[in-house]
Amino acid sequence: MFQLPFPVRDANAGGGSKDLGNLPEWDLSDLYTGEDAPELKRDLDWLEQACASFAADYEGKLAELDAGGLLECVLRNEKINQIAGRIMSFAGLRYYQLTTDAGRAKFMSDAQEKITNFTTPLVFFTLELNKLPDDHLDTLLNKNADLARYKPIFDRIRAMKPYQLSDELEKFMHDLGVVGDAWERMFDETIAGLEFEVNGEVMGIEGTLNLLTDPDRANREAGARELAEVFGANVKTFARVHNTQAKEKEIIDRWRGMETAQTGRHLSNQVEPEVVEALRDAVVKAYPKLSHRYYELKRKWLGLDVMQVWDRNAPLPMEDPRIVDWPTAEKMVMDAYTAFDPRMGELAKPFFNSGWIDAGVKPGKAPGAFAHPTVTDVHPYVMLNYLGKPRDVMTLAHELGHGVHQVLAAGQGEMLSSTPLTLAETASVFGEMLTFRKMLDNAKSQTERKVLLAGKVEDMINTVVRQIAFYDFECKLHAARRNGELTPDDINALWMSVQAESLGPAFEFMDGYETFWAYIPHFVHSPFYVYAYAFGDGLVNALYAVYAEGEEGFEEKYFDMLKAGGSKHHKELLAPFGLDASDPAFWDKGLSMISGFIDELEAMED
């Protein structure tokens, strides 16, 4: 079933003001001009007919097809995915612009139901494909080069073969997906509808989280305490969502015979469990030399005996609390992208001038940020909640990297363009690194350099340490749920069990912080998504080291890697750079870059 985009960044954006310049909004007309667009009705009608005729032509007959026949079957399936993807991209993006609008929510829900109903007869395709003997499929692939191009897709589908249920049960699961989505929508709408009152001002979650980076410590504390108050008042709802989602996942995993709660994510990411565990173990082992060491430095800079949770993302005392307006942010990122390779700048340009970015913070708009690829014959759309801090510039650089990656991978076609999450973060984190290095090179003083380095270290800690702590929390949550219903206090305790370990002894934790798991969208929308951030950061740090060493032809190899989309495994993609993510030392190499930045910050103290 087609999956909607969702906010994916851990939203701790910086403070802003209304004087940010002309913030762009989406122009969704490249998808459809509106809910009543004749093209939308045409596509829905086509989709219903195309799914029915596909099932009539191929169900029960896949084993009889020759190479040319199987290729035609694959191409027809790809076209169906493209039209369904276009419809749901339009519905989903409109919804995320205003999640509190009942009309938009109904339109998206109705579209999802129709597409689920239309595509249910197609469930046989992957089931029958998995029943083909290996030697038979290999023979067909060897006979037709155009068909052989889709081998990565066949491999991905057939990786699920050991976990496949009966045809009837698979159709039931497909239909039931709409019900699971309802819990995700409940989470989104609850989060978007929360109101927080701080210092007499009522605001949504983005504005309140934004207070956690306010220069005034009293404002940070007020924001943190109000978040805790409102999360606490709604914790039963969030606990119900998590209990239900985790139980649903446990039932499906049990029926499929999946070895662990994480197995499905590893399969979809095309990454071996031992590679993820090597990453996880390397990061946890590095907590003392990364987060513990950095936050001890920050505690001294802030002049505190002990840090509270509202100090974690506080600006540094020597930091210029400037607001970066939108035109300046655009220039900073575009300059960094173009300096790496002019082609990258050209690919990024239309995002700014063609209505491909929705940047402003608006009531009811989904929190966080994302880049959604839509479909390969349109273009990606980037969503931000831009508030004007340097950190927000980094988020722009990050999401624009996703967008450029998605544009380049579109040449692979609908089925092969989609990149597994572990590799999907490559271009985004690399885009951040390019922008950061450009800003560091242009630093006019030691103090400015220190602030930039500290900001980058904090972002890396949020991307690596915090996300692995999130991953550990999820592992504990799903394991505990298998033994029965979890109370809010049970979930709170699991959350706190990973927080002190990852953040270190510099912190005290206020009453109420134990509920801060409640607002993280990944846990609900896409269990175990979070380790992909750490994977991507570690991978890019290693990749950037190769670039910084002056690897000949790096830019061309990099573009080739992005153009490959989901057509190659991480081993194949990294081999041209002399890198291998399955080597445990690989992760230490990536983590040493963060440690090196902290070394430089400590040296500045002398």
Side-chain angles (χ1 to χ4, degrees), residues 410-469:
Q412 293 288 345
E414 208 61 43
M415 292 173 77
L416 284 163
S417 63
S418 180
T419 312
L421 293 177
T422 41
L423 296 169
E425 293 302 324
T426 305
S428 52
V429 180
F430 196 83
E432 278 190 80
M433 184 63 80
L434 290 173
T435 305
F436 165 70
R437 292 287 184 174
K438 188 80 173 171
M439 292 167 75
L440 200 63
D441 289 345
N442 293 335
K444 296 179 177 63
S445 67
Q446 183 82 334
T447 299
E448 188 178 345
R449 183 177 178 86
K450 182 177 183 177
V451 169
L452 284 168
L453 274 171
K456 185 59 179 170
V457 168
E458 290 199 16
D459 282 344
M460 288 171 140
I461 287 172
N462 281 337
T463 305
V464 178
V465 170
R466 189 161 162 81
Q467 302 304 326
I468 289 299

Coordinates of all heavy atoms in Angstrom, one line a residue, residues 410-469:
A410 N 15.4 9.8 -9.8 CA 14.1 9.6 -10.6 C 14.3 8.9 -11.9 O 13.5 8.3 -12.5 CB 13.4 11.0 -10.8
G411 N 15.6 9.1 -12.5 CA 15.9 8.4 -13.7 C 15.8 6.9 -13.7 O 15.7 6.2 -14.7
Q412 N 15.8 6.3 -12.5 CA 15.7 4.9 -12.3 C 14.3 4.4 -12.6 O 14.1 3.2 -12.7 CB 16.2 4.5 -10.9 CG 17.7 4.7 -10.7 CD 18.5 3.7 -11.4 OE1 18.1 2.7 -12.0 NE2 19.8 4.0 -11.5
G413 N 13.3 5.3 -12.6 CA 11.9 4.8 -12.7 C 11.3 4.6 -11.3 O 12.0 4.5 -10.3
E414 N 10.0 4.4 -11.4 CA 9.2 4.4 -10.1 C 9.6 3.3 -9.1 O 9.7 3.5 -7.9 CB 7.7 4.2 -10.5 CG 6.8 4.8 -9.5 CD 6.9 6.3 -9.3 OE1 7.1 7.0 -10.3 OE2 7.0 6.8 -8.2
M415 N 10.0 2.1 -9.6 CA 10.3 1.0 -8.7 C 11.7 1.0 -8.2 O 12.0 0.5 -7.1 CB 9.9 -0.3 -9.4 CG 8.4 -0.5 -9.6 SD 8.0 -2.0 -10.6 CE 8.2 -3.2 -9.3
L416 N 12.6 1.5 -9.0 CA 14.0 1.5 -8.6 C 14.6 2.8 -8.0 O 15.7 2.8 -7.5 CB 14.9 1.1 -9.8 CG 14.8 -0.4 -10.2 CD1 15.3 -0.6 -11.6 CD2 15.6 -1.2 -9.2
S417 N 13.8 3.9 -8.1 CA 14.3 5.2 -7.6 C 14.3 5.2 -6.1 O 15.1 6.0 -5.5 CB 13.4 6.3 -8.2 OG 12.1 6.2 -7.7
S418 N 13.4 4.5 -5.4 CA 13.3 4.6 -4.0 C 14.5 4.1 -3.3 O 14.9 2.9 -3.5 CB 12.0 3.9 -3.5 OG 11.9 4.0 -2.1
T419 N 15.1 4.9 -2.4 CA 16.4 4.5 -1.7 C 16.0 4.0 -0.3 O 15.2 4.6 0.4 CB 17.3 5.7 -1.6 OG1 17.4 6.4 -2.9 CG2 18.7 5.4 -1.2
P420 N 16.6 2.9 0.1 CA 16.4 2.5 1.5 C 16.8 3.6 2.5 O 17.7 4.4 2.2 CB 17.3 1.2 1.7 CG 18.2 1.3 0.5 CD 17.6 2.0 -0.6
L421 N 16.1 3.6 3.7 CA 16.3 4.7 4.6 C 17.8 4.9 5.0 O 18.2 6.1 5.1 CB 15.5 4.4 5.9 CG 14.0 4.5 5.7 CD1 13.4 4.1 7.1 CD2 13.5 5.8 5.3
T422 N 18.6 3.8 5.1 CA 20.0 4.0 5.5 C 20.8 4.8 4.5 O 21.7 5.5 4.9 CB 20.6 2.5 5.6 OG1 20.1 1.8 4.5 CG2 20.1 1.9 6.9
L423 N 20.4 4.6 3.2 CA 21.1 5.4 2.2 C 20.4 6.7 1.8 O 21.0 7.6 1.3 CB 21.3 4.5 0.9 CG 22.2 3.3 1.1 CD1 22.1 2.3 -0.1 CD2 23.6 3.7 1.4
A424 N 19.1 6.8 2.2 CA 18.4 8.0 1.9 C 18.9 9.2 2.6 O 18.7 10.3 2.2 CB 16.9 7.8 2.2
E425 N 19.6 9.0 3.7 CA 20.1 10.1 4.5 C 21.5 10.6 4.0 O 22.0 11.6 4.5 CB 20.3 9.7 6.0 CG 18.9 9.5 6.7 CD 18.0 10.7 6.6 OE1 18.5 11.9 6.7 OE2 16.8 10.6 6.5
T426 N 22.1 9.9 3.0 CA 23.4 10.2 2.5 C 23.5 11.6 2.0 O 24.3 12.5 2.4 CB 23.9 9.2 1.4 OG1 23.7 7.9 1.9 CG2 25.3 9.5 1.0
A427 N 22.7 12.0 1.0 CA 22.8 13.3 0.3 C 22.4 14.4 1.3 O 22.9 15.5 1.2 CB 21.9 13.3 -0.9
S428 N 21.4 14.1 2.2 CA 20.9 15.1 3.1 C 22.0 15.5 4.1 O 22.3 16.7 4.3 CB 19.7 14.6 3.8 OG 19.9 13.4 4.4
V429 N 22.6 14.5 4.7 CA 23.7 14.8 5.7 C 24.9 15.4 5.0 O 25.6 16.3 5.5 CB 24.1 13.5 6.5 CG1 25.1 13.8 7.5 CG2 22.8 13.0 7.2
F430 N 25.2 14.9 3.7 CA 26.3 15.5 3.0 C 26.1 17.0 2.6 O 27.0 17.8 2.7 CB 26.5 14.7 1.7 CG 27.9 14.9 1.0 CD1 29.0 14.2 1.5 CD2 28.0 15.8 0.0 CE1 30.3 14.4 0.9 CE2 29.3 16.0 -0.6 CZ 30.4 15.3 -0.2
G431 N 24.8 17.3 2.3 CA 24.4 18.7 2.0 C 24.6 19.5 3.3 O 25.1 20.7 3.2
E432 N 24.3 19.0 4.4 CA 24.5 19.7 5.7 C 26.0 20.0 5.9 O 26.5 21.0 6.3 CB 24.0 18.9 6.9 CG 22.5 19.0 7.1 CD 22.2 18.4 8.5 OE1 22.4 19.0 9.5 OE2 21.7 17.2 8.5
M433 N 26.8 18.9 5.6 CA 28.3 19.0 5.9 C 28.9 20.1 4.9 O 29.7 20.9 5.3 CB 28.9 17.7 5.7 CG 30.4 17.6 6.0 SD 30.8 18.0 7.7 CE 30.5 16.4 8.5
L434 N 28.5 20.1 3.7 CA 29.0 21.1 2.7 C 28.7 22.5 3.2 O 29.5 23.4 3.2 CB 28.3 20.9 1.3 CG 28.8 19.6 0.5 CD1 27.9 19.5 -0.7 CD2 30.2 19.7 0.2
T435 N 27.4 22.7 3.7 CA 27.0 24.0 4.1 C 27.8 24.4 5.4 O 28.2 25.6 5.5 CB 25.5 24.0 4.4 OG1 24.8 23.6 3.2 CG2 25.0 25.4 4.8
F436 N 27.9 23.5 6.3 CA 28.7 23.7 7.5 C 30.1 24.1 7.2 O 30.7 25.1 7.8 CB 28.6 22.5 8.4 CG 29.7 22.5 9.5 CD1 29.6 23.4 10.6 CD2 30.8 21.7 9.5 CE1 30.5 23.5 11.6 CE2 31.7 21.7 10.5 CZ 31.6 22.6 11.6
R437 N 30.8 23.3 6.4 CA 32.2 23.6 6.0 C 32.4 25.0 5.4 O 33.4 25.7 5.6 CB 32.7 22.5 5.1 CG 32.8 21.1 5.8 CD 34.0 21.0 6.7 NE 34.1 19.7 7.3 CZ 35.1 19.3 8.1 NH1 36.1 20.2 8.5 NH2 35.2 18.1 8.5
K438 N 31.4 25.3 4.5 CA 31.4 26.6 3.9 C 31.3 27.8 5.0 O 32.1 28.7 4.9 CB 30.3 26.8 2.9 CG 30.3 28.0 2.0 CD 31.2 27.8 0.9 CE 31.1 29.0 -0.1 NZ 32.2 28.9 -1.1
M439 N 30.4 27.6 5.9 CA 30.3 28.6 7.0 C 31.5 28.6 7.9 O 31.9 29.7 8.3 CB 29.0 28.2 7.8 CG 27.7 28.4 7.1 SD 26.3 27.6 7.9 CE 26.0 28.8 9.2
L440 N 32.1 27.4 8.1 CA 33.3 27.4 9.0 C 34.5 28.1 8.3 O 35.2 28.8 8.9 CB 33.7 25.9 9.2 CG 34.6 25.6 10.4 CD1 33.9 26.0 11.7 CD2 35.0 24.1 10.5
D441 N 34.6 27.9 7.0 CA 35.7 28.5 6.2 C 35.5 30.1 6.2 O 36.5 30.8 6.2 CB 35.7 28.1 4.7 CG 36.2 26.6 4.6 OD1 36.8 26.1 5.6 OD2 35.9 26.0 3.6
N442 N 34.3 30.5 6.3 CA 34.0 32.0 6.2 C 34.0 32.6 7.6 O 33.7 33.8 7.8 CB 32.7 32.2 5.5 CG 32.8 31.9 4.0 OD1 33.9 31.9 3.5 ND2 31.7 31.6 3.4
A443 N 34.2 31.8 8.7 CA 34.2 32.4 10.1 C 35.2 33.5 10.2 O 36.4 33.4 9.8 CB 34.5 31.3 11.1
K444 N 34.8 34.6 10.8 CA 35.6 35.8 10.9 C 36.4 35.9 12.2 O 37.2 36.8 12.3 CB 34.7 37.0 10.7 CG 34.1 37.1 9.3 CD 33.2 38.4 9.2 CE 32.6 38.5 7.8 NZ 31.7 37.4 7.5
S445 N 36.1 35.0 13.1 CA 36.8 35.1 14.4 C 36.9 33.7 15.0 O 36.1 32.8 14.6 CB 36.1 36.1 15.3 OG 34.8 35.5 15.7
Q446 N 37.7 33.6 16.1 CA 37.8 32.3 16.8 C 36.5 32.0 17.5 O 36.1 30.9 17.6 CB 38.9 32.4 17.8 CG 39.2 31.2 18.7 CD 40.1 30.2 17.9 OE1 40.1 30.2 16.7 NE2 40.8 29.4 18.7
T447 N 35.8 33.1 18.0 CA 34.5 32.9 18.7 C 33.5 32.3 17.7 O 32.7 31.4 18.0 CB 34.1 34.2 19.3 OG1 35.0 34.6 20.3 CG2 32.7 34.0 20.0
E448 N 33.4 32.9 16.5 CA 32.5 32.4 15.5 C 32.7 31.0 15.1 O 31.8 30.2 15.0 CB 32.5 33.3 14.3 CG 31.4 33.1 13.3 CD 31.4 34.0 12.1 OE1 32.1 35.0 12.1 OE2 30.7 33.6 11.1
R449 N 34.0 30.7 15.0 CA 34.4 29.3 14.7 C 34.0 28.3 15.8 O 33.4 27.2 15.5 CB 35.9 29.2 14.5 CG 36.4 27.8 14.0 CD 37.9 27.7 13.8 NE 38.3 26.4 13.4 CZ 38.2 25.9 12.2 NH1 37.8 26.6 11.2 NH2 38.6 24.6 11.9
K450 N 34.1 28.8 17.0 CA 33.8 28.0 18.2 C 32.3 27.7 18.2 O 31.8 26.6 18.4 CB 34.2 28.7 19.5 CG 33.9 27.9 20.8 CD 34.4 28.7 21.9 CE 34.2 28.0 23.2 NZ 34.8 28.8 24.4
V451 N 31.5 28.7 17.9 CA 30.0 28.6 17.9 C 29.6 27.7 16.8 O 28.7 26.8 17.0 CB 29.4 30.0 17.8 CG1 27.9 29.9 17.5 CG2 29.6 30.8 19.0
L452 N 30.2 27.8 15.6 CA 29.8 26.9 14.5 C 30.2 25.5 14.8 O 29.4 24.6 14.6 CB 30.6 27.4 13.2 CG 30.0 28.6 12.5 CD1 31.0 29.1 11.5 CD2 28.6 28.3 11.9
L453 N 31.4 25.2 15.4 CA 31.8 23.9 15.7 C 30.9 23.3 16.8 O 30.4 22.1 16.6 CB 33.2 23.9 16.3 CG 34.4 23.8 15.2 CD1 35.7 24.0 15.9 CD2 34.4 22.5 14.5
A454 N 30.5 24.1 17.8 CA 29.7 23.6 18.8 C 28.3 23.3 18.3 O 27.7 22.2 18.6 CB 29.5 24.6 20.0
G455 N 27.8 24.1 17.4 CA 26.5 23.9 16.8 C 26.5 22.6 15.9 O 25.5 21.8 16.0
K456 N 27.6 22.4 15.2 CA 27.7 21.1 14.4 C 27.8 19.9 15.3 O 27.1 18.9 15.0 CB 28.9 21.2 13.5 CG 29.0 20.0 12.5 CD 27.8 20.0 11.6 CE 27.9 18.8 10.6 NZ 26.6 18.6 9.9
V457 N 28.6 20.0 16.4 CA 28.6 18.9 17.3 C 27.3 18.5 17.9 O 26.9 17.4 18.0 CB 29.7 19.1 18.4 CG1 29.6 18.1 19.5 CG2 31.1 19.1 17.9
E458 N 26.5 19.6 18.3 CA 25.2 19.3 18.8 C 24.3 18.7 17.8 O 23.5 17.7 18.1 CB 24.6 20.7 19.3 CG 25.3 21.2 20.5 CD 24.4 22.2 21.3 OE1 23.2 22.3 21.1 OE2 25.0 22.9 22.2
D459 N 24.3 19.1 16.6 CA 23.5 18.5 15.5 C 23.9 17.0 15.3 O 23.1 16.2 15.2 CB 23.7 19.2 14.2 CG 22.9 20.5 14.1 OD1 22.0 20.7 15.0 OD2 23.1 21.4 13.3
M460 N 25.2 16.8 15.4 CA 25.7 15.4 15.2 C 25.3 14.5 16.4 O 24.9 13.4 16.2 CB 27.2 15.4 15.0 CG 27.7 15.9 13.7 SD 29.5 16.1 13.6 CE 29.8 15.5 12.0
I461 N 25.3 15.1 17.6 CA 24.9 14.3 18.7 C 23.4 14.0 18.6 O 22.9 12.9 18.9 CB 25.2 15.1 20.0 CG1 26.7 15.0 20.3 CG2 24.5 14.5 21.2 CD1 27.2 15.9 21.5
N462 N 22.6 15.0 18.2 CA 21.2 14.8 18.0 C 20.9 13.8 16.9 O 20.0 13.0 17.0 CB 20.5 16.1 17.6 CG 20.2 17.0 18.8 OD1 20.2 16.6 19.9 ND2 20.1 18.3 18.5
T463 N 21.8 13.7 15.9 CA 21.6 12.8 14.8 C 22.1 11.4 15.1 O 21.6 10.4 14.6 CB 22.3 13.3 13.5 OG1 21.9 14.7 13.3 CG2 22.0 12.5 12.3
V464 N 23.2 11.3 15.9 CA 23.8 10.0 16.1 C 23.4 9.5 17.5 O 22.7 8.5 17.7 CB 25.3 10.1 15.9 CG1 26.0 8.8 16.3 CG2 25.7 10.5 14.5
V465 N 23.9 10.2 18.5 CA 23.7 9.7 19.9 C 22.2 9.7 20.3 O 21.7 8.6 20.7 CB 24.4 10.6 20.9 CG1 24.0 10.3 22.4 CG2 25.9 10.5 20.7
R466 N 21.5 10.8 20.0 CA 20.0 10.8 20.4 C 19.2 9.8 19.6 O 18.3 9.2 20.2 CB 19.5 12.2 20.1 CG 18.1 12.5 20.7 CD 17.9 14.0 20.8 NE 16.5 14.4 20.9 CZ 15.8 14.3 22.0 NH1 16.3 13.9 23.1 NH2 14.5 14.7 22.0
Q467 N 19.5 9.6 18.3 CA 18.7 8.7 17.5 C 19.0 7.2 17.9 O 18.1 6.4 17.9 CB 19.0 8.9 16.0 CG 18.7 10.3 15.5 CD 17.3 10.8 15.8 OE1 16.3 10.0 15.8 NE2 17.1 12.0 16.1
I468 N 20.3 6.9 18.3 CA 20.5 5.5 18.8 C 19.9 5.3 20.1 O 19.4 4.2 20.4 CB 22.1 5.3 18.8 CG1 22.6 5.2 17.4 CG2 22.4 4.0 19.6 CD1 22.0 4.0 16.5
A469 N 19.8 6.4 21.0 CA 19.1 6.3 22.2 C 17.6 6.0 21.9 O 16.9 5.2 22.6 CB 19.3 7.5 23.1

